[in-house]
Amino acid sequence: MNMESSMCASSGNAPHGEQLDWPQCERHVRRLQARIVKATREGRWGKVKALQRLLTHSFSGKALAVKRVTENQGKRTPGVDGVIWKTPGARHKAIGSLRRRGYQPQPLRRVHIPKANGKLRPLGIPTMKDRAMQALHLLALEPIAETLGDSHSYGFRTGRSTADAIEQCFSVLSRQNHAPWVLEGDIRGCFDYLSHEWMLNQIPTDTEVLRRWLKAGYVENRTLFPTEAGTPQGGIISPTLANMTLDGLEQLLKVAFRRRRDGARQYRLKVNLIRYADDFIITGPTKDVLENEVRPLVEQFLRDRGLQLSPEKTCITPIEEGFDFLGQNLRKYDGKLLIKPSKKNTHVFLEKVRTIIQTNATATQEVLIRQLNPVIRGWANYHQSIVAADTFSKVDHVLWQSLWRWAKRRHPNKSSQWVMRKYWHTIGRRSWTFAVDTGDRTPSGQIVWLKLHYAAETKIQRHPQIKGTANPFDPRWRQYFEDRAFLMRFGIHRCEAGIKPS
């Protein structure tokens, strides 16, 4: 009995397929992905295509694709057909429906979500079946994307994060002899203007299926609109397609700005690219080099892909003045690089916290704390690897002021001392702790408090940057990622530099 039939048998032929051997499915897919990585490194594109077809036609791949789209955050969001797979029977039936022959994707359901600048971002929502088909083909495309991707591209990639991008910024900007100028780049409407022709000619995936996705169109106000360019924000495979379209810029810059000779001395131009999705920075030795050499090269690279830089968001800045990148501010003070939470990011966070407090004017203290804690903890954890202690303290003070006003409004006829004793308590070394008695007791009889999480309680610790060549689909790097996950989980960072691929 082969692997695929054994998995079907493992479900006992149950109509709902809830007894599938998921670890075995994952092992089968990982083995195929590892073979794709090996064939890609060797340049055996015929072998790559054959392995991709094997994966996208496998039961394991289809099962994992359906599992992904029925367990993520959008599992209850339907496409234009209004269908969601919420029952075991529907999920089992969906696995068998993922066939290439006769497949025709439906148009996307267009919705708009607000952006930070007040504008609206268009979001295309595919049907459940189209999402599953994209997830299936993504299983076969991601190993190639990770193998060929730029070393210092960090957005929408397995095992990489904004913290890795910021650490790379620190590496190329922190020393005295590092580049003093930065080109802040932003691509205008990246997902909306990607060239279909370029993607169809260059992305190593099933071209016919990709063409159908790109040309499916979208429905807005019951009207069908064609799509002549771009890949929809909201599609599972879209971030990887965008990344692969932008990959190659790092190598282009390395070739163009390799070591140069000045008499008997050779020197590097300190041109480095750090990219997170469509946001990127490029360091340079002078403003002139960035303006007259780097920028034209980047613009031509993007033009070939149907893209262009955003004039209002692209600028060249000296590191002494500082710049914002991924919600954090990077600036040199007397020659020392400090990375702090940006003022804009902090303002947005505080406005969100204030809104929660204002909309819970009549809620209990327990309800308010449970709504605030995830927001505060998430924001503080995002900034915990940079110079954020002062900002955390200031944020806690502003939060205290908002909570004091919330408490005083609830009891206008009570004294400040009474309000303080009701809502704030001495717990441990903190005398002003916004907390509520849950009614539970420890075995020793002590009160179990539900406490507000203060940003300043978050420990500042350096983030261990991922190695640029690390590939989560390459078996040679498997031990590295396992060790890294262990270190990240338990907050042990001092040995990270010693982790090497097996």
Side-chain angles (χ1 to χ4, degrees):
M1 180 182 294
N2 61 28
M3 191 259 183
E4 299 292 339
S5 59
S6 68
M7 281 191 297
C8 294
S10 69
S11 68
N13 294 320
H16 301 329
E18 288 298 283
Q19 299 175 17
L20 287 176
D21 189 344
W22 292 112
Q24 190 176 2
C25 289
E26 292 169 357
R27 284 193 297 270
H28 179 65
V29 169
R30 278 202 308 267
R31 282 196 294 268
L32 287 174
Q33 289 174 328
R35 293 174 65 188
I36 291 173
V37 168
K38 184 174 184 293
T40 301
R41 283 202 314 265
E42 297 170 352
R44 301 169 60 193
W45 293 106
K47 182 71 171 177
V48 169
K49 186 175 181 180
L51 290 168
Q52 284 183 306
R53 187 182 188 282
L54 187 61
L55 198 161
T56 56
H57 285 71
S58 69
F59 177 85
S60 298
K62 294 177 182 179
L64 289 178
V66 171
K67 186 174 187 285
R68 174 173 179 174
V69 301
T70 54
E71 292 184 355
N72 62 13
Q73 290 185 345
K75 62 185 178 182
R76 295 186 179 89
T77 305
V80 293
D81 59 358
V83 174
I84 56 175
W85 299 333
K86 58 182 179 180
T87 66
R91 292 191 288 268
H92 181 71
K93 184 178 179 181
I95 295 174
S97 71
L98 301 184
R99 299 188 184 92
R100 184 184 187 277
R101 178 176 295 180
Y103 170 65
Q104 183 60 48
Q106 297 188 59
L108 303 161
R109 180 166 69 91
R110 173 68 67 92
V111 297
H112 295 272
I113 57 175
K115 298 170 64 175
N117 58 9
K119 297 181 180 179
L120 295 176
R121 184 195 304 276
L123 187 68
I125 303 176
T127 64
M128 291 294 289
K129 182 174 180 179
D130 293 335
R131 273 177 260 174
M133 283 293 285
Q134 289 188 19
L136 175 60
H137 284 264
L138 182 60
L139 289 173
L141 182 61
E142 258 192 316
I144 304 174
E146 287 294 331
T147 304
L148 302 178
D150 288 346
S151 298
H152 300 302
S153 162
Y154 298 97
F156 305 114
R157 294 182 63 181
T158 303
R160 301 186 180 219
S161 66
T162 54
D164 292 305
I166 293 297
E167 279 296 316
Q168 179 61 18
C169 291
F170 184 84
S171 297
V172 301
L173 291 169
S174 59
R175 295 181 183 175
Q176 291 288 344
N177 62 344
H178 281 172
W181 289 86
V182 173
L183 168 66
E184 303 173 62
D186 184 271
I187 301 171
R188 191 178 74 173
C190 179
F191 283 85
D192 298 326
Y193 297 107
L194 286 171
S195 169
H196 286 181
E197 181 181 359
W198 192 94
M199 286 190 285
L200 290 170
N201 289 334
Q202 301 295 331
I203 302 294
T205 189
D206 190 318
T207 305
E208 187 54 39
V209 173
L210 178 59
R211 185 191 308 276
R212 293 173 186 174
W213 285 330
L214 297 176
K215 303 297 183 182
Y218 64 91
V219 172
E220 188 173 12
N221 297 326
R222 298 186 178 182
T223 304
L224 176 63
F225 296 89
T227 47
E228 301 300 331
T231 179
Q233 295 187 61
I236 288 177
I237 203 171
S238 295
T240 300
L241 294 177
N243 262 339
M244 296 188 76
T245 304
L246 297 175
D247 282 336
L249 180 57
E250 183 177 334
Q251 183 61 30
L252 181 66
L253 292 171
K254 283 183 179 179
V255 172
F257 299 97
R258 62 181 64 183
R259 289 185 177 274
R260 296 188 179 182
R261 185 175 295 277
D262 181 13
R265 184 174 64 90
Q266 283 190 344
Y267 65 98
R268 291 188 69 247
L269 282 183
K270 306 173 185 176
V271 176
N272 300 281
L273 170 73
I274 301 101
R275 180 169 66 83
Y276 189 92
D278 57 342
D279 291 330
F280 64 88
I281 66 165
I282 301 176
T283 65
T286 66
K287 183 177 182 180
D288 183 68
V289 168
L290 290 175
E291 184 67 53
N292 299 319
E293 297 185 52
V294 173
R295 184 164 182 164
L297 195 66
V298 173
E299 289 175 339
Q300 182 58 51
F301 175 88
L302 296 176
R303 196 177 299 119
D304 294 341
R305 291 152 176 79
L307 302 171
Q308 60 181 336
L309 292 174
S310 171
E312 63 272 14
K313 295 183 180 179
T314 301
C315 57
I316 299 174
T317 309
I319 190 62
E320 285 77 13
E321 290 184 10
F323 63 96
D324 290 350
F325 185 53
L326 303 177
Q328 298 175 349
N329 180 264
L330 298 89
R331 181 180 175 183
K332 274 192 174 180
Y333 299 83
D334 296 326
K336 183 176 182 180
L337 181 70
L338 297 181
I339 306 175
K340 305 177 181 180
S342 71
K343 292 182 179 179
K344 180 180 177 181
N345 180 271
T346 304
H347 174 75
V348 171
F349 163 72
L350 288 175
E351 284 300 306
K352 184 175 183 179
V353 168
R354 290 189 186 105
T355 300
I356 293 174
I357 294 173
Q358 290 167 5
T359 54
N360 284 274
T362 59
T364 65
Q365 185 182 14
E366 180 178 354
V367 169
L368 180 60
I369 292 174
R370 292 191 185 280
Q371 290 197 32
L372 287 174
N373 275 354
V375 177
I376 298 169
R377 187 176 286 111
W379 180 82
N381 287 344
Y382 182 83
H383 294 292
Q384 70 173 346
S385 60
I386 60 173
V387 185
D390 287 346
T391 305
F392 286 173
S393 296
K394 293 176 183 177
V395 162
D396 285 343
H397 179 66
V398 173
L399 180 59
W400 180 89
Q401 291 176 321
S402 297
L403 290 172
W404 181 256
R405 288 192 293 269
W406 173 86
K408 289 288 287 183
R409 278 196 302 266
R410 293 166 67 89
H411 307 283
N413 299 323
K414 297 291 186 180
S415 68
S416 296
Q417 287 293 324
W418 185 94
V419 172
M420 183 269 289
R421 287 193 300 269
K422 179 174 177 60
Y423 294 104
W424 279 269
H425 307 275
T426 299
I427 302 176
R429 296 183 179 180
R430 181 184 286 272
S431 57
W432 280 78
T433 303
F434 192 74
V436 61
D437 184 349
T438 62
D440 296 330
R441 297 292 182 269
T442 64
S444 59
Q446 294 180 333
I447 298 174
V448 176
W449 296 98
L450 174 64
K451 300 182 293 183
L452 182 74
H453 179 81
Y454 291 93
E457 294 175 342
T458 303
K459 183 180 178 181
I460 302 296
Q461 53 186 8
R462 187 80 176 267
H463 175 80
Q465 184 185 353
I466 193 170
K467 293 182 181 296
T469 54
N471 187 340
F473 300 98
D474 189 338
R476 298 182 304 174
W477 286 94
R478 185 167 299 155
Q479 189 62 49
Y480 170 83
F481 280 97
E482 290 177 359
D483 292 345
R484 179 176 168 82
F486 176 83
L487 295 175
M488 296 288 287
R489 179 179 179 184
F490 294 101
I492 306 170
H493 303 310
R494 54 191 170 82
C495 301
E496 200 276 337
I499 302 175
K500 299 179 181 179
S502 57

